[in-house]
Amino acid sequence: MAQTSRLRLSAGAAMLALALVATGIVVTAQPDPAAAAPPPTSSFEKVKLDGGLSMGEPIELSVLPDGKVLYINRGTSAAGGQVRLYNPATNITTVALTLQLDARFEDGLIGITLHPQFASNRWVYLFYSPAVTPLVNRISRFTFNATTLVLDPASEAKLIEWPTERRLCCHSAGSMTWDSNNNLYFAVGDNTNSGGDSAGMAPIDERTARDAQYDAQRTAGNTNDLRGKINRIHPESNGTYTIPAGNLFPVGTALTRPEVYIMGDRNPYRIWVDKQANNTLYWGEVGPDAGATIANRGPAAYDEFNRATGPGNYGWPYCGGPNVAYNDWDFAANAPRGWFPCGGTTGPVNNSPRNTGLQQLPPTKPSLVWEQHGGSREWPALDNPGGCGSPNHAEVYHYNPNLNSQVKWPAYYDNKLLITEYCRNWIKEIQFDNGNPVTGNPTVIEPVVSGMQLVHPIDMEFGPDGSLYVLEYGNGYFSGDVAAGLYKINYVAGGRSPTAVATANRDNGLAPLAVAFSSAGSTDPDGDPLTYAWDFDNNGTTDSTAANPSFTYTTVGDKRARLTVNDGTGRSGTTTIAIVVGNNRPVVTMGGVPDGGLFDWNDNLTSTAAATDAQDGTIACANVVVRAALGHQEHAHEEGQGTGCGFTVNTGPVHAGPDSVLFFVLRGSYADSGAAGTVPLTGEKQLTLWPKQWQAEHYVTLNGPQVITQAAAEGGKRLGDIQTGEYVRHHGVSLKGITGVSARVSSAGAGGTISFRFDSPTGPEVARVTVANTGGWDNYTTVTAPVTKPDDNTHDLYLVFTGAAGGAIFDIDSYTFTGAGVGVPGGTGPRTGPIKGMAKCAEVNGGATADGTKIQMWDCNGQTNQVWTVQGDGTIRSLGKCMDVQASGTANGTLIHLWTCNGTGAQQWVAGANGSLRNPQSNRCLDIPASNPSNGRQLQIYDCNGTGAQNWTLP
């Protein structure tokens, strides 16, 4: 096996060389020997401006002309989203505006930009999801008060809004930018779910019984819809807008929106216009999920960086990457109809029944460069390091020799296109054959500030001082995170500034509050000795010069403890810690499933959550929010939300190939009411749940084995060159409901054993499988063993390998746990059709859609008011609204009616035994009063009793 590993490495190098030759990169990409070398990372410093949980879920930033920074967090439906202002004069971040939101799935406060004449008009534009019905996304203009440093909510001018859907996740985009003519570009995602039966390919499910959010032809492929587009308008000073000349469809063209500039986008997450280069548009496009090419269906997923010098159609959902076609899939017959025309003189035909625009679409255009799941043959540098793909910002740096700045980036990067990757945590530059990012063909892609730690960069822009401002999301999933941060990356000549790191043993509590601080981790990159200055209340006075001091707060309030470290050369670094005195952070617990529990795809996962808070007293379970997200490598897509009284999410079919790391995240949260003289605090509890089948190469830590590339391995890779005594650690799991395990293995050696152990390589053994010689390293077989476990708690899982000494013993491709796990077999996502009980159908009275319309029994007649969609988010919907318990009641006999979907516990339903539909908030079941299903009988909730009046047949 060791020999195989050496051959693999040699072959990989050869393949890379061949790929470069095939694309012409070797010939054209060699740098001019006389050209300057890129500056080393040691010539840059990363300076922290803000960070931590207080940032919320950071999304996008804008740098003001005077160096202040506005940035936004996405927010929540309960607490709203914030516009936050970092002030370099005080090194303090304040809240400039809070907006109330409908932040389900990927919506919320998701875009911010300054008007090009901000210095004079103080206009800030926000892209957000207001809490209104019908559902819309909106761009509004607000005025910034330079004295109070807030955005005046009364100044809102609603510029544009458009309908959206929030039954399923995802793709909202939200980025905005401007050209030299003061035209505003805004990116809108395709508002389409990538799951269902799409197999990670093009979501073009035209079946009328399926949710419309499985069909991207209604948005990205629709010339009469702003979604799945980059739109361009000209905001006027009176709050309206006009249409600039040169968009994709001239004003007055039937079945089109004249605002559309670029169509055929899936999730154009960041956009930027180069005003100094004929308003060339660049953007990062997050692609679909297919882990491998399917011969009769389409390519492995492409993630794209794009360039446009004019309007156009970039293909989605018909084409991807370099204009590679998807097949026009017939979802009803589960068969192909034929390949879409991509890259031709005419574009695809959109004949979806949900299309409201032109059928004949414009010809499609290719990407500039692309990542591809499974490895990019043309651009292998984008795949390094490996992992998920999530293209982000793209911006051309323009060096200004006349700018008086000690931190501006060097002339080497002048006119260079810089790109960022959220998942892969890098910044890189794309080089062009003629040196011009507008007209050139891309050649080499090189790292920028290689080795500098980035924790999921989600936005960046060059500021007026020529420094690169970077917003990092951190390691959270739809939440704030301690690793989130706002930074400047300065180019420095000579010495670099030290980095300040501060921690505290507590960050909330009642006065007097004793806090122990630590500066551990503070460093100086030049090795200079550090001195420390602590300002515990951030009033400009040094309170301690100790490295690790303690302080007792005696007054209540939202405190900021600031640490400044100095290196003795005049350079310093600073950081702050938020300390809330006078309020206790709520404590949230979760039940229903254990952390690390295992599930099958299409399972239902049901969880509960509770909160305790010292100031708020008893917390009703309906006030605790539970959110679910599908994790994919380093990011996640929100799949729905409910309440702590009980929330069920369906995991759906597997959303990507076995080369991907997939999991589910459940998070309970409660935002308290604050306390006199202080601020509200949010408590959270997160559970991570894992699929039962796991690829062995998706380890957390590796001790000895190597990752081997091999086509017949399930994800294209396996763990190999395994020798006795070696082991691998995987994630923390709970084996609740698990009874056995199987492993897919191969061996041309003596074989051996795989011991599954808890907590350490010598911890309790829960399973042991024996591997024999299979006749070759690429001859796979499956071996099984029972699981015996000490408890259902969460433990790190170790696989320990033993066998004969002196060589490779076996390879392991994957392992699969068997048994019920923590899920309950469910449907394959939303199901649409009648709901029947006692030989009649539940219907909306008269087909009315007003809030409060009664839901009643009636003879089944197939009318639309008897068609219900059972959602994966726990809701049951008809006519665009939800089945709701009147006034969130919990008593027997509370009536059922139709109401605008609002995410409350009154709209949550869980299928149970004997056909019951239980409302977890009340713990009562949907019931036909007195077991009398006569026409017009309004439904109610009642104690669950297993009678025929509570036995429902769902779609």
Side-chain angles (χ1 to χ4, degrees):
M1 200 61 238
Q3 182 182 18
T4 302
S5 300
R6 288 194 294 270
L7 289 173
R8 178 181 63 86
L9 292 172
S10 176
M15 288 175 64
L16 176 59
L18 287 172
L20 293 173
V21 171
T23 55
I25 293 177
V26 169
V27 176
T28 62
Q30 302 305 311
D32 184 344
T41 303
S42 59
S43 296
F44 295 85
E45 65 174 6
K46 184 180 179 185
V47 179
K48 186 174 185 179
L49 308 180
D50 193 11
L53 288 170
S54 61
M55 294 183 70
E57 184 187 349
I59 295 295
E60 196 170 32
L61 63 83
S62 286
V63 186
L64 277 59
D66 61 0
K68 297 183 181 73
V69 183
L70 286 171
Y71 72 87
I72 57 174
N73 56 41
R74 190 173 70 92
T76 67
S77 299
Q82 295 177 330
V83 182
R84 296 171 64 85
L85 176 79
Y86 169 77
N87 187 348
T90 60
N91 294 322
I92 292 175
T93 298
T94 54
V95 176
L97 177 68
T98 299
L99 281 175
Q100 296 308 305
L101 304 168
D102 182 346
R104 287 176 289 162
F105 302 110
E106 293 180 354
D107 279 346
L109 177 53
I110 54 177
I112 183 170
T113 188
L114 309 180
H115 191 277
Q117 279 75 55
F118 172 84
S120 58
N121 61 33
R122 303 291 178 180
W123 287 341
V124 177
Y125 291 76
L126 300 178
F127 184 136
Y128 74 104
S129 309
V132 297
T133 54
L135 303 179
V136 298
N137 279 333
R138 174 187 296 164
I139 296 174
S140 287
R141 187 188 76 197
F142 294 82
T143 301
F144 178 73
N145 188 314
T147 302
T148 60
L149 305 182
V150 299
L151 293 171
D152 180 7
S155 70
E156 179 177 12
K158 299 172 184 176
L159 180 66
I160 185 173
E161 62 184 28
W162 57 95
T164 191
E165 295 156 281
R166 299 191 189 109
R167 297 180 303 276
L168 300 168
C169 182
C170 2
H171 311 145
S172 299
S175 183
M176 297 178 286
T177 190
W178 302 83
D179 66 17
S180 61
N181 299 312
N182 289 354
N183 294 320
L184 175 68
Y185 300 65
F186 61 97
V188 186
D190 71 358
N191 192 204
T192 297
N193 189 277
S194 57
D197 295 328
S198 296
M201 298 287 172
I204 51 174
D205 192 340
E206 298 174 358
R207 292 174 291 181
T208 56
R210 298 290 284 164
D211 194 291
Q213 281 195 260
Y214 288 123
D215 186 2
Q217 296 174 106
R218 83 197 194 289
T219 57
N222 186 348
T223 62
N224 201 26
D225 196 291
L226 299 185
R227 292 170 293 179
K229 312 291 194 303
I230 300 174
N231 304 287
R232 185 175 71 159
I233 60 177
H234 187 84
E236 304 295 336
S237 59
N238 64 0
T240 64
Y241 70 89
T242 54
I243 305 297
N247 280 357
L248 187 57
F249 306 111
V251 175
T253 303
L255 303 180
T256 69
R257 290 293 298 259
E259 297 93 340
V260 175
Y261 184 68
I262 300 294
M263 70 174 294
D265 287 308
R266 181 177 184 265
N267 196 14
Y269 199 66
R270 288 288 173 261
I271 63 175
W272 182 81
V273 167
D274 192 344
K275 299 179 184 178
Q276 300 185 38
N278 199 31
N279 293 322
T280 301
L281 171 68
Y282 299 91
W283 71 97
E285 173 97 10
V286 184
D289 300 320
T293 296
I294 301 177
N296 68 342
R297 193 154 187 182
Y302 287 101
D303 297 290
E304 306 171 357
F305 290 96
N306 289 313
R307 172 185 69 189
T309 56
N313 176 13
Y314 282 76
W316 180 255
Y318 307 106
C319 319
N323 250 331
V324 176
Y326 289 100
N327 211 314
D328 185 3
W329 196 257
D330 185 336
F331 283 75
N334 197 32
R337 296 189 181 104
W339 300 96
F340 290 112
C342 296
T345 56
T346 58
V349 171
N350 183 352
N351 55 14
S352 169
R354 301 182 181 93
N355 179 30
T356 61
L358 301 173
Q359 287 202 350
Q360 179 59 62
L361 303 182
T364 62
K365 297 187 176 185
S367 306
L368 178 66
V369 295
W370 50 86
E371 306 166 337
Q372 189 174 22
H373 291 212
S376 303
R377 179 179 64 84
E378 299 89 349
W379 308 108
L382 292 181
D383 299 319
N384 183 21
C388 69
S390 190
N392 213 288
H393 191 71
E395 181 170 347
V396 175
Y397 175 64
H398 291 291
Y399 177 77
N400 181 0
N402 299 317
L403 176 64
N404 182 17
S405 171
Q406 298 299 311
V407 296
K408 66 182 179 183
W409 276 42
Y412 172 84
Y413 287 110
D414 184 41
N415 208 37
K416 298 286 180 69
L417 176 60
L418 305 184
I419 59 175
T420 65
E421 235 287 0
Y422 171 91
C423 282
R424 303 178 194 265
N425 296 306
W426 50 243
I427 304 172
K428 296 190 178 186
E429 65 152 309
I430 301 176
Q431 298 179 3
F432 295 86
D433 55 4
N434 63 356
N436 188 338
V438 178
T439 61
N441 297 310
T443 56
V444 162
I445 298 174
E446 296 283 4
V448 177
V449 294
S450 177
M452 180 178 290
Q453 184 183 30
L454 301 169
V455 187
H456 300 311
I458 197 166
D459 194 25
M460 74 174 195
E461 70 176 53
F462 283 98
D465 56 357
S467 179
L468 184 65
Y469 290 74
V470 178
L471 191 64
E472 296 185 5
Y473 187 87
N475 294 311
Y477 296 106
F478 287 91
S479 71
D481 185 69
V482 293
L486 173 67
Y487 297 90
K488 286 180 65 178
I489 300 178
N490 297 324
Y491 178 69
V492 290
R496 295 161 293 171
S497 299
T499 298
V501 175
T503 57
N505 68 332
R506 57 179 57 88
D507 65 3
N508 67 93
L510 303 182
L513 182 67
V515 181
F517 294 95
S518 171
S519 63
S522 299
T523 58
D524 184 75
D526 301 319
D528 296 323
L530 296 177
T531 58
Y532 307 91
W534 292 89
D535 181 358
F536 297 126
D537 48 10
N538 206 27
N539 64 358
T541 301
T542 298
D543 299 312
S544 174
T545 58
N548 304 305
S550 296
F551 183 76
T552 298
Y553 291 92
T554 58
T555 59
V556 302
D558 183 13
K559 312 293 185 179
R560 291 290 190 273
R562 176 172 300 279
L563 168 64
T564 303
V565 295
N566 291 274
D567 65 1
T569 69
R571 299 178 179 87
S572 63
T574 186
T575 189
T576 60
I577 304 175
I579 308 290
V580 175
V581 185
N583 190 16
N584 297 96
R585 189 179 302 278
V587 176
V588 176
T589 58
M590 295 194 69
V593 290
D595 189 26
L598 305 178
F599 65 88
D600 281 316
W601 297 107
N602 286 322
D603 273 359
N604 288 329
L605 303 174
T606 299
S607 59
T608 59
T612 58
D613 186 81
Q615 285 73 41
D616 289 4
T618 302
I619 310 301
C621 61
N623 294 333
V624 183
V625 177
V626 178
R627 303 164 82 186
L630 170 66
H632 184 197
Q633 308 284 120
E634 299 288 340
H635 67 289
H637 299 287
E638 189 173 350
E639 293 290 318
Q641 72 177 48
T643 74
C645 303
F647 169 62
T648 299
V649 63
N650 183 268
T651 60
V654 61
H655 299 309
D659 64 317
S660 299
V661 175
L662 298 172
F663 51 94
F664 255 83
V665 174
L666 299 175
R667 176 182 292 106
S669 66
Y670 171 72
D672 70 17
S673 303
T678 184
V679 296
L681 290 171
T682 298
E684 292 187 326
K685 176 66 175 181
Q686 177 175 299
L687 306 178
T688 303
L689 306 177
W690 306 96
K692 293 175 185 174
Q693 183 181 25
W694 199 252
Q695 298 301 313
E697 66 271 15
H698 295 159
Y699 56 84
V700 177
T701 58
L702 191 67
N703 182 46
Q706 297 187 46
V707 176
I708 306 297
T709 298
Q710 202 271 326
E714 288 175 347
K717 293 178 171 61
R718 66 182 185 230
L719 281 187
D721 196 13
I722 297 172
Q723 302 189 29
T724 189
E726 297 179 340
Y727 63 87
V728 60
R729 179 171 71 90
H730 287 254
H731 44 262
V733 301
S734 164
L735 297 183
K736 181 178 181 179
I738 296 299
T739 57
V741 66
S742 64
R744 188 174 192 252
V745 297
S746 64
S747 177
T753 62
I754 304 172
S755 176
F756 293 79
R757 294 180 178 271
F758 277 169
D759 300 323
S760 79
T762 59
E765 184 178 77
V766 297
R768 174 184 289 261
V769 296
T770 300
V771 182
N773 185 302
T774 66
W777 292 115
D778 298 335
N779 294 338
Y780 296 96
T781 190
T782 298
V783 292
T784 63
V787 165
T788 57
K789 56 188 184 297
D791 54 52
D792 291 335
N793 297 326
T794 307
H795 301 270
D796 281 346
L797 183 67
Y798 284 77
L799 276 62
V800 181
F801 312 116
T802 57
I809 51 178
F810 53 75
D811 289 5
I812 177 170
D813 182 21
S814 67
Y815 58 92
T816 303
F817 286 103
T818 56
V822 299
V824 176
T828 57
R831 294 104 64 200
T832 298
I835 294 177
K836 299 180 180 180
M838 301 187 74
K840 290 199 175 184
C841 285
E843 71 164 30
V844 180
N845 181 30
T849 59
D851 283 349
T853 301
K854 73 175 181 176
I855 295 174
Q856 62 188 17
M857 300 306 297
W858 202 270
D859 295 330
C860 297
N861 54 32
Q863 298 300 308
T864 56
N865 64 326
Q866 293 185 357
V867 175
W868 298 89
T869 299
V870 180
Q871 296 284 150
D873 64 358
T875 61
I876 299 176
R877 308 186 185 206
S878 183
L879 305 176
K881 292 193 174 183
C882 280
M883 180 182 290
D884 182 277
V885 180
Q886 193 175 80
S888 292
T890 60
N892 281 338
T894 304
L895 296 176
I896 304 298
H897 59 192
L898 195 72
W899 201 268
T900 300
C901 299
N902 53 32
T904 64
Q907 298 179 355
Q908 290 291 301
W909 302 94
V910 177
N914 300 317
S916 66
L917 272 176
R918 182 176 61 88
N919 171 242
Q921 177 170 284
S922 62
N923 200 32
R924 290 184 165 87
C925 284
L926 185 67
D927 182 272
I928 302 171
S931 297
N932 179 1
S934 58
N935 286 348
R937 174 76 65 170
Q938 186 170 6
L939 301 181
Q940 64 179 11
I941 56 171
Y942 204 83
D943 291 333
C944 299
N945 53 33
T947 64
Q950 297 181 358
N951 188 334
W952 301 96
T953 301
L954 301 179

